[in-house]
Amino acid sequence: MSIPKTQFGYGYDKRYKTIQKFDDIPIPSVGANELLLKVEAAGLCLSDPHTLIGGPIELKPPLKTSDKFIMGHEIAGSVCKLGSELSKQQDSKFKIGSRFALQINFCCGDCEMCRKGLDGACTTTSQCYGLNEDGGFQQYLLVKNLRTLLPIPDNVSFEDAAVCTDSVLTPFHAIQKVKHKIQPTSKILVQGCGGLGLNAIQILKNYNCHLVATDLKPDIKSTALKYGANEFYNDLSKSNHEPQSFDIIFDFVGIQPTVDISNKYLKKRGTLSMIGLGKFKLVMPNYLFALREIEVFYNFGGNSIEQIECMKWISKGLIKPDVTIVDFKKLPQALEDLVNDKVRGRVVFRPNKL
């Protein structure tokens, strides 16, 4: 496989609030126990503009957070070069052409959380592809932490595998926390039908509950219903649903109005699952939630075993991510469209198909 000496990509530069194009990036040399991944698909996420505005996730000492790095945390690709030690391992799963999706965070495998199987909450490292370390908005990515490589099933595309790393994994992780509460008679509200919310609907429909979806965008209705929602509303107050009538509410928006809606419509001993990061701070109705014994869960990402399971669901046709492929050279415009609420589903780039 012919590998160029340089590449281009897009990323964070502390001096700017917009994404920057980096030209003539040297293709990194590969260490003995490292590999080079040819990036076949990289997804665009609202966390990308959040990173540009608010800065990267802070690295734990002794590592220093970089002032400049390649962004893109939803990544899938194929192995194009092996380190000298890896190439000697004949029975290794790491071979030229092997297909992998990346776990976003660099898990150590040794801390308490990792040993419990909760490697998405690793306490040793805070390194994350595209959020404070070089990510997938480039053609080739050096992978130093081999634990982050998760095999893609043969019948799952690179594009679906890439968005699975966050857009599918995050709602899947949130649902796993409360799935024991979901019955066929449960009434569940999904607030926000963007990339994550639509995937949540597809996951939840497998539990045979009654699903109500809401979103301010009227054009998203047909997709939400197609993916499994029983009802869709732009304004829940104009429906026939009574206050305090929902068992579980998933908030994929995370702004004060959606918290207020949850307060209005959650029944006693109901459950609120917070996923959306629309605002840095929210006011929770402490007394009213206490009076009704509302259970509140916060969520961020997921674990590697859940990500592998998500890819199995995609392989079996239980989830079909809503993916739109956009020319890699048009990434800055796609990012602007996402910020301006012009994107539906998930945008994916193919950096090596120029």
Side-chain angles (χ1 to χ4, degrees):
M1 180 182 294
S2 177
I3 301 172
K5 292 183 179 180
T6 62
Q7 61 178 329
F8 77 95
Y10 301 92
Y12 172 83
D13 187 323
K14 187 178 181 180
R15 298 171 296 175
Y16 307 99
K17 294 296 184 182
T18 56
I19 199 161
Q20 300 298 302
K21 184 182 180 184
F22 303 134
D23 291 308
D24 299 321
I25 307 167
I27 303 295
S29 58
V30 180
N33 287 296
E34 300 170 352
L35 61 79
L36 192 65
L37 193 75
K38 181 182 179 183
V39 180
E40 305 285 2
L44 184 65
C45 176
L46 267 175
S47 295
D48 294 320
H50 291 168
T51 299
L52 292 169
I53 296 169
I57 294 175
E58 188 174 350
L59 284 168
K60 295 178 181 177
L63 297 173
K64 180 181 181 299
T65 304
S66 176
D67 291 339
K68 183 187 293 187
F69 59 89
I70 302 294
M71 291 173 58
H73 56 275
E74 294 187 340
I75 310 165
S78 56
V79 177
C80 62
K81 189 173 183 179
L82 294 169
S84 57
E85 289 301 316
L86 288 183
S87 61
K88 295 176 184 177
Q89 301 173 14
Q90 308 227 341
D91 59 345
S92 171
K93 64 179 179 180
F94 305 118
K95 302 182 185 301
I96 301 298
S98 295
R99 298 170 0 113
F100 294 100
L102 292 185
Q103 181 181 0
I104 295 170
N105 69 301
F106 290 31
C107 48
C108 72
D110 292 325
C111 70
E112 179 184 3
M113 289 294 105
C114 283
R115 290 187 181 279
K116 287 180 177 179
L118 305 175
D119 52 9
C122 177
T123 57
T124 300
T125 179
S126 54
Q127 292 171 270
C128 298
Y129 291 113
L131 297 173
N132 53 28
E133 295 279 352
D134 283 344
F137 290 164
Q138 59 183 333
Q139 295 160 293
Y140 296 90
L141 173 65
L142 180 65
V143 178
K144 299 179 181 180
N145 185 336
L146 302 182
R147 287 183 58 89
T148 62
L149 292 159
L150 307 179
I152 303 172
D154 291 341
N155 65 336
V156 174
S157 70
F158 285 115
E159 294 80 15
D160 285 351
V163 301
C164 183
T165 64
D166 184 0
S167 181
V168 178
L169 173 63
T170 300
F172 189 87
H173 175 70
I175 292 166
Q176 295 313 293
K177 289 183 180 180
V178 300
K179 66 179 183 180
H180 62 286
K181 297 172 174 283
I182 303 175
Q183 305 294 330
T185 54
S186 298
K187 192 165 76 167
I188 294 178
L189 174 63
V190 173
Q191 294 198 75
C193 296
L196 275 69
L198 288 175
N199 288 327
I201 290 169
Q202 293 188 75
I203 297 165
L204 286 164
K205 73 177 181 181
N206 292 282
Y207 292 89
N208 296 316
C209 50
H210 188 83
L211 279 174
V212 179
T214 61
D215 197 290
L216 294 177
K217 302 181 289 290
D219 60 292
I220 208 79
K221 177 179 180 178
S222 59
T223 305
L225 295 175
K226 179 182 74 173
Y227 278 179
N230 300 102
E231 303 175 49
F232 177 91
Y233 302 97
N234 297 124
D235 184 350
L236 193 60
S237 67
K238 295 180 180 178
S239 72
N240 59 0
H241 291 286
E242 297 290 333
Q244 297 189 28
S245 63
F246 284 87
D247 299 284
I248 304 172
I249 295 179
F250 292 91
D251 185 346
F252 288 96
V253 185
I255 58 176
Q256 195 59 48
T258 55
V259 171
D260 296 341
I261 288 169
S262 295
N263 178 37
K264 179 179 179 179
Y265 285 97
L266 267 175
K267 62 171 57 174
K268 281 193 172 184
R269 299 187 67 83
T271 299
L272 172 58
S273 183
M274 296 295 302
I275 305 100
L277 300 174
K279 290 294 181 181
F280 186 73
K281 291 183 180 180
L282 298 169
V283 177
M284 288 289 179
N286 188 43
Y287 175 76
L288 295 175
F289 275 9
L291 189 66
R292 304 208 307 276
E293 294 193 39
I294 300 298
E295 196 168 22
V296 181
F297 289 90
Y298 277 88
N299 306 275
F300 191 80
N303 309 317
S304 61
I305 193 64
E306 292 172 331
Q307 187 172 330
I308 290 170
E309 183 67 17
C310 285
M311 286 192 282
K312 290 180 181 178
W313 280 47
I314 294 174
S315 175
K316 293 180 179 180
L318 299 174
I319 306 170
K320 177 55 183 171
D322 185 14
V323 169
T324 301
I325 298 171
V326 173
D327 188 328
F328 187 49
K329 294 179 181 178
K330 296 181 180 178
L331 187 149
Q333 181 60 54
L335 183 60
E336 185 177 334
D337 289 343
L338 179 65
V339 172
N340 292 325
D341 204 21
K342 295 180 180 179
V343 170
R344 302 293 180 264
R346 210 61 158 183
V347 165
V348 174
F349 308 103
R350 296 189 289 194
N352 279 284
K353 293 186 182 295
L354 302 174

